[in-house]
Amino acid sequence: MSGRVTDEVGIDVTRSPSSHHHVENLPYVHKVGVPPKQKLLKEVTSTLKETFFHDEPLRPFKDQPKSRKLVLGLQALFPILEWGRDYNLSKFKGDLVAGLTIASLAIPQDIGYAKLANLDPQYALYSSFVPPLVYAFMGSSRDVAIGPVAVVSLLLGTLLQNEIDPSNKVEYRRLAFTATFFAGITQVTLGVLRLGFLIDFLSHAAIVGFMAGAAITIGLQQLKGFLGIKTFTRKTDIVSVMHSVWTAVHHGGKKNRKWFWVPAIAPLISVIVATFFVFITHADKHGVQIVNHIKKGVNPASANQIYFTGGYLLKGFRIGVVAGMIALTESIAIGRTFAAIKDYQLDGNKEMVALGTMNVIGSMTSCYVATGSFSRSAVNFMAGCNTAVSNIVMSCVLLLTLLVITPLFKYTPNAVIASIIISAVIGLIDIQAVILIWKIDKLDFIACMGAFFGVVFVSVEIGLLIAVVISFAKILLQVTRPRTALLGKLPRTSVYRNINQYPDATKVPGILIVRVDSAIYFSNSNYVKERILRWLTDEEEQVKANKQTRIQYLVVEMSPVTDIDTSGIHAFEELYRTLQKREIQLVLANPGRAVIDKLYASGFANLIGEDKIFLTVADAVLMYAPKTEEP
């Protein structure tokens, strides 16, 4: 007797046919149905759509007139056209305060960050004028504050000086603009092609370690200005830096939101006070090192300085790709954090296009790589910003600074700038995050420490490489060595769970139940087969020693198996033949749609028998061990 119905997810629910058991004494047993075969083109199309267009960016354009599509297209490219319609004076007040506050923080920071990139101070100020303006019109974050950042400045300076001596200012500056151009092209390309998932290959743990290592390296580099050391190494590792410091010496918490503005304006006040005293005391003539001349005026055009041909083209491209990826990672991580706090959606692909466009335009207006700044964004948020207009306000203040104020910074002592940079990067060292990573995942902790020590003891680029390699190694390890578990039945239920996680779970006499917690591909198929056989061998030894019921069925719980390839099918065929020699039946439970489709397409379902594939483990146990299990 058999009947067929369909459940709400399209799976056939059938009374199990069997001539070997008294079916009339059993309740309904659910059998897994075969989904209708998809056409190849439709399957490929749906896969590509889910991979690259999972957010369905074209949905708002459906069934719209051409004029409306044009408006929606412009709003998609320039989000300011959408949220700007609801902008009012109340929002502007918050943005004005936030913009003025982050500008007061940006000016002294920029002077220091330019030193990290081995560029004159005005180029960092340029980078806090044009890019934020572009981002304000194209960015989708309300809270990210744009400008040069310490980590990218250090990375760019390190990579550039490996190619050109910074003392050759013209060629060095041209390569910086070239790298910035290609950083922008990389970011735009990732956004347009919707390849933002690539930046996720840098794990959170690796980024934490990389940032902490970079913070220490940046802080150590500032010892030159802080201590007034004239001869200093160009290397960034801790050994070289401390050797320079020793040689020079040998020879000669959470902040109260109400008071956010105090630490925010403190750097600018320090600069003003220190500059004033150096000027009136002429301390620069008595050994105090100062910033010296900062060029006055707005950004000059630099499109003609970018290397589009010649030997430096490829070098600029390589440096730009690396700097662009790191800049993206930092900015999007910051944007997602504040978007989660304020409960709004951040479009990662729009962010990439916005960041890339501003860097491409920036490279043509004497800017170097800009991105979302952690310290400025935090101050921007605390100051009560409402929209990206705070970036416009900051840009206006920077414009005023470039036109009027820059000559006043001539007497700013390097020691003050160095101390500002040190205080700014301290926030990049997140001890609590490292402790949490250690508690959660030891492999993540290894990635974190690998990136940290690589940056501190070798160089920024080596630390970055270590972070990427360890992140990929973790992925490969998890893919090639997936978890498996023995399942047992929880008392008074029909639920089967990991016996190591649930001590009350009991094994089923005569049946071994194994769960595979991963897709089965060529990279792990042999391991999965061998691991299942090891489970079986160990269980058989225990059964024999305790004189229990011989294992007659091996049930593989496949609900976590999201996919299987040809190698996986082949491994299961080998497993089936091995079990046949031991007189053990192979039974599958709850294979997903993609898996069951391939099991039938390969003929494996017919090989083991369709009656050996069940919807749940409970159904399989009810079928093959009805006398030893409670219904």
Side-chain angles (χ1 to χ4, degrees), residues 31-232:
K31 298 289 287 182
V32 176
V34 185
K37 180 70 174 177
Q38 272 191 321
K39 292 182 179 180
L40 179 61
L41 181 60
K42 185 177 181 181
E43 185 176 358
V44 172
T45 303
S46 61
T47 301
L48 290 175
K49 181 180 178 182
E50 181 61 27
T51 302
F52 298 104
F53 300 97
H54 55 86
D55 53 350
E56 297 194 49
L58 300 179
R59 175 179 287 185
F61 293 86
K62 290 182 179 179
D63 303 322
Q64 297 287 347
K66 290 184 178 180
S67 58
R68 180 59 181 165
K69 286 181 179 180
L70 177 61
V71 172
L72 291 174
L74 289 173
Q75 288 179 352
L77 188 60
F78 302 103
I80 193 172
L81 297 177
E82 183 177 2
W83 55 259
R85 292 178 300 175
D86 301 322
Y87 200 72
N88 53 44
L89 183 60
S90 176
K91 290 182 179 179
F92 177 69
K93 289 179 181 178
D95 289 335
L96 177 63
V97 172
L100 293 173
T101 308
I102 57 177
S104 69
L105 178 63
I107 294 169
Q109 278 188 350
D110 285 347
I111 296 172
Y113 292 161
K115 290 181 179 295
L116 294 178
N118 300 313
L119 290 166
D120 293 333
Q122 65 266 22
Y123 294 102
L125 295 172
Y126 295 157
S127 302
S128 285
F129 168 46
V130 172
L133 279 178
V134 178
Y135 181 85
F137 285 86
M138 300 186 67
S140 59
S141 173
R142 306 171 192 168
D143 304 281
V144 168
I146 297 297
V149 297
V151 172
V152 176
S153 298
L154 176 66
L155 177 65
L156 196 64
T158 303
L159 296 176
L160 289 173
Q161 73 179 7
N162 290 339
E163 305 296 340
I164 299 178
D165 192 317
S167 61
N168 185 353
K169 289 191 174 184
V170 175
E171 296 299 315
Y172 183 90
R173 189 165 58 243
R174 290 188 64 185
L175 188 59
F177 296 152
T178 304
T180 302
F181 175 80
F182 285 110
I185 293 295
T186 300
Q187 293 168 337
V188 170
T189 302
L190 290 175
V192 171
L193 298 182
R194 310 185 71 79
L195 298 175
F197 60 84
L198 292 177
I199 65 173
D200 293 331
F201 280 102
L202 266 177
S203 67
H204 172 71
I207 290 296
V208 169
F210 175 76
M211 290 293 189
I216 289 178
T217 301
I218 292 166
L220 291 172
Q221 287 283 308
Q222 297 312 301
L223 291 177
K224 175 185 178 182
F226 191 71
L227 299 177
I229 302 173
K230 295 182 179 180
T231 304
F232 204 76

Side-chain angles (χ1 to χ4, degrees), residues 127-128 131-132 135 144-148 331 355 358 370-373 376 391 394:
S127 302
S128 285
Y135 181 85
V144 168
I146 297 297
S331 184
L355 292 168
M358 76 180 193
T371 189
S373 166
R376 295 184 204 181
N391 276 291
M394 180 186 70

Side-chain angles (χ1 to χ4, degrees), residues 23 52 115 126 144 196 239 279 296 328 358 390 422 432 435 452 499 512 530 550 556 567 578 594:
V23 178
F52 298 104
K115 290 181 179 295
Y126 295 157
V144 168
V239 176
F279 175 74
K296 184 179 177 181
L328 267 185
M358 76 180 193
S390 61
I422 292 173
Q432 293 301 317
I435 295 173
F452 174 78
I499 60 175
L512 179 67
E530 293 169 1
R550 185 181 73 84
V556 181
S567 298
T578 301

Side-chain angles (χ1 to χ4, degrees), residues 63 76 107 119 191 252 256 280 459 477 508 542:
D63 303 322
I107 294 169
L119 290 166
N256 188 331
I280 63 173
S459 65
L477 183 63
V508 180
Q542 292 182 20

